[in-house]
Amino acid sequence: MAEVVRVLRDSTPVELNPFPFSGATNLTTLNLTSDQLPGLLFCPALGYYGNGNIYLAESLMPDFTVTPPQVNARWILAGPLLTQWLKKP
């Protein structure tokens, strides 16, 4: 959880193209809990892009004013530690 917060707090967002809202198979959430904060569930959104990178979404927002509807966010490249952890089998 600390690594996700650090990346969101300290990293610079990158520009990525929005992707279609329907059929967004490269979008998921990471469900994190902590014994130190019982009852709190932290669920940041993740985007997997064809370039092999994993991005955390800050301010994820569907946009239904365009056709087809799209997902927009401020995307932040996941750090090496988080990327390694997410890619473990």
Side-chain angles (χ1 to χ4, degrees):
M1 194 180 291
E3 175 68 8
V4 172
V5 171
R6 184 195 65 74
V7 168
L8 289 171
R9 182 189 62 223
D10 298 340
S11 300
T12 303
V14 297
E15 289 291 324
L16 296 175
N17 292 329
F19 54 87
F21 183 72
S22 64
T25 58
N26 59 338
L27 183 65
T28 190
T29 58
L30 181 61
N31 300 324
L32 302 169
T33 61
S34 170
D35 292 339
Q36 296 170 348
L37 301 168
L40 179 68
L41 183 63
F42 180 45
C43 304
L46 298 175
Y48 293 85
Y49 278 80
N51 60 9
N53 290 331
I54 300 171
Y55 296 87
L56 289 162
E58 178 188 338
S59 305
L60 183 73
M61 180 68 74
D63 182 0
F64 297 108
T65 64
V66 296
T67 303
Q70 298 177 345
V71 175
N72 295 302
R74 290 172 37 122
W75 295 104
I76 300 171
L77 184 62
L81 179 64
L82 181 59
T83 299
Q84 180 183 6
W85 184 74
L86 289 169
K87 289 185 177 181
K88 283 188 178 180

